[in-house]
């Protein structure tokens, strides 16, 4: 049965995988491998509360293991709870996780939390354990970039690209490090050339171009770059377009973009906070209330933030 579940997961048939696993667990509720598989499938389905429940059941059977700690890290990471994710990945490592996933993710979490030394330590251990761990090389490159060590960053990103030539993110980071060594007036032009030629299939290069536009102080141009990428249905790009429009002072346009983004991803607190701020600035309270009401059913564990925001709004106009 577990082999069948693994096949369903590979095919992206997650609902069927859940049905199969629940069938097993109805007969053997304490079957640890099935509980682990169920937690994994629920994380992939973005059913984070159900995933947490499955992990709780697994740990009630076998205690906290390297596997359950790693998966709890994945759960926190997907919920954008990076401090919790870092603790869980560190636990997985301490409990004997022999792969590099926990260390790579631990490095990414610590980067997001601003702990550069911690990120460097985790990423260094990951590449020592497996020199082909591309995301760990990327983390090391990001650390070097933050220290403005562009030659070192380029070398780290090149190691990542060499380890995984098909990894578009690693290639985009390598290009970013290279163009930052060019005179400011040439940087965006170099990215534009790549987007029309060898890099036109790399969606992350558009992000590099948008970042350059924003660093030049032209957030409207950055929003246009994100808008083009968002035409492919990329929700992240659409969200970044909204953020760029807000920075450009285009509050009406930002609200029009961020509202549907919030409805599509109600648990994204970054979008939630930005959208609430923009709508209050516009004085569009009724529109804000309608959007929050529409997004609320899918907000999951973020519902408290929605209720708090709704309580603070003035009464609806009659």
């Amino acid at each position: 049965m577990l082999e069948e579940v693994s096949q369903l997961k590979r095919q992206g048939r997650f609902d069927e995988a859940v049905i199969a696993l629940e069938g097993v667990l109805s007969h053997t509720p304490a079957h640890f491998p099935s509980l682990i598989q169920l937690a994994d499938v629920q994380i992939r389905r973005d059913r984070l509360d159900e995933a947490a429940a499955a992990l709780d059941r697994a740990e009630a059977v076998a205690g906290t293991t390297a596997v359950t700690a790693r998966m709890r890290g994945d759960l926190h990471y997907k919920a954008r709870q990076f401090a919790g994710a870092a603790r869980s990945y560190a636990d997985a490592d301490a409990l004997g996780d022999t792969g590099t996933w926990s260390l790579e993710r631990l490095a990414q979490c610590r980067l997001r939390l601003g702990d550069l030394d911690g990120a460097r330590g985790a990423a260094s251990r990951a590449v020592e354990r497996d020199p082909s761990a591309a995301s760990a090389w990327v983390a090391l490159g990001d650390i070097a970039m933050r220290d403005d060590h562009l030659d070192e960053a380029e070398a780290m990103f090149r190691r990542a690209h060499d380890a995984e030539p098909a990894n578009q993110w690693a290639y985009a980071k390598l290009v970013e490090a290279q163009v930052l060594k060019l005179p400011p007036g040439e940087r965006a032009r170099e990215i534009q050339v790549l987007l029309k030629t060898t890099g036109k299939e790399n969606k992350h290069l558009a992000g590099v171009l948008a970042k350059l536009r924003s660093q030049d102080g032209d957030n409207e141009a950055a929003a246009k770059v994100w808008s083009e990428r968002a035409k492919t249905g990329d929700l992240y790009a659409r969200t970044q377009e909204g953020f760029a429009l807000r920075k450009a002072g285009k509050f009406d346009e930002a609200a029009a973009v961020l509202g549907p983004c919030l409805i599509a991803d109600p648990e994204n607190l970054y979008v939630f906070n930005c959208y609430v701020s923009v709508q209050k600035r516009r004085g569009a309270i009724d529109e804000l209330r309608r959007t929050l009401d529409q997004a609320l059913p899918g907000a999951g564990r973020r519902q408290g933030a929605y209720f708090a925001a709704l309580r603070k709004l003035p009464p609806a106009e009659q």
Side-chain angles (χ1 to χ4, degrees):
M1 176 58 73
L2 290 183
E3 178 54 40
E4 177 187 342
V5 169
S6 296
Q7 185 175 354
L8 290 170
K9 286 165 61 178
R10 287 193 293 270
Q11 296 170 351
R13 297 159 61 186
F14 300 129
D15 291 349
E16 294 173 59
V18 169
I19 293 171
L21 288 165
E22 288 178 342
V24 173
L25 290 166
S26 67
H27 297 291
T28 316
H31 190 241
F32 182 78
S34 294
L35 290 167
I36 289 297
Q37 289 273 19
L38 180 59
D40 180 56
V41 173
Q42 297 291 29
I43 290 172
R44 294 171 188 244
R45 296 173 75 219
D46 288 325
R47 302 292 183 86
L48 302 188
D49 289 337
E50 289 91 334
L55 281 175
D56 288 343
R57 290 172 62 189
E59 290 180 338
V61 172
T64 301
T65 68
V67 173
T68 63
R70 184 180 70 239
M71 294 187 68
R72 203 169 286 280
D74 293 343
L75 174 66
H76 288 309
Y77 193 93
K78 198 152 195 179
R80 302 179 184 88
Q81 297 169 346
F82 299 113
R87 287 192 296 271
S88 293
Y89 288 129
D91 288 344
D93 180 51
L95 288 166
D97 191 1
T98 57
T100 61
W101 178 262
S102 294
L103 288 172
E104 292 177 69
R105 279 294 180 93
L106 177 58
Q108 292 164 15
C109 290
R110 286 179 169 164
L111 260 178
R112 288 177 177 270
L113 295 168
D115 179 7
L116 298 191
D117 289 338
R120 184 182 292 108
S124 297
R125 289 184 58 216
V127 298
E128 180 180 346
R129 187 174 293 178
D130 180 3
S132 66
S135 69
W137 287 116
V138 169
L140 290 170
D142 280 331
I143 294 165
M145 287 265 281
R146 294 192 189 194
D147 289 335
D148 203 29
H149 298 157
L150 294 180
D151 289 337
E152 180 183 349
E154 181 181 354
M156 298 299 101
F157 294 139
R158 187 171 297 282
R159 291 292 298 267
H161 179 57
D162 289 345
E164 289 186 23
N167 187 321
Q168 292 189 346
W169 177 245
Y171 177 69
K173 296 299 292 185
L174 172 61
V175 170
E176 181 181 1
Q178 292 172 332
V179 300
L180 284 176
K181 294 193 284 186
L182 298 174
E186 298 178 18
R187 295 171 182 173
R189 183 165 60 249
E190 184 69 20
I191 299 294
Q192 288 173 314
V193 170
L194 284 173
L195 284 169
K196 293 177 181 178
T197 54
T198 57
K200 61 183 178 182
E201 302 298 326
N202 189 322
K203 64 181 182 179
H204 299 296
L205 284 176
V208 175
L209 178 58
K211 184 177 179 180
L212 291 172
R213 297 297 194 200
S214 183
Q215 288 173 344
D216 290 339
D218 193 347
N219 287 300
E220 278 194 72
K224 289 179 182 177
V225 174
W226 286 119
S227 179
E228 283 299 310
R229 177 173 152 185
K231 290 178 181 178
T232 64
D234 189 326
L235 180 60
Y236 174 79
R238 183 65 71 195
T239 298
Q240 293 301 313
E241 178 191 359
F243 291 160
L245 287 167
R246 178 178 179 245
K247 289 180 181 177
K250 300 288 185 178
F251 300 115
D252 291 347
E253 293 92 333
V257 170
L258 290 172
C261 290
L262 183 61
I263 292 169
D265 186 9
E267 293 192 63
N268 190 326
L269 276 184
Y270 298 110
V271 177
F272 172 84
N273 289 328
C274 186
Y275 180 71
V276 170
S277 172
V278 166
Q279 292 293 54
K280 286 184 175 179
R281 183 154 187 166
R282 295 176 67 227
I285 302 303
D286 288 341
E287 183 180 333
L288 170 59
R289 181 182 289 104
R290 287 194 298 271
T291 302
L292 294 182
D293 283 339
Q294 187 174 350
L296 179 60
R301 61 188 64 192
R302 307 297 193 188
Q303 286 190 347
Y306 281 76
F307 287 127
L310 285 166
R311 281 197 301 269
K312 293 177 182 177
L313 298 180
E317 295 180 2
Q318 299 298 320

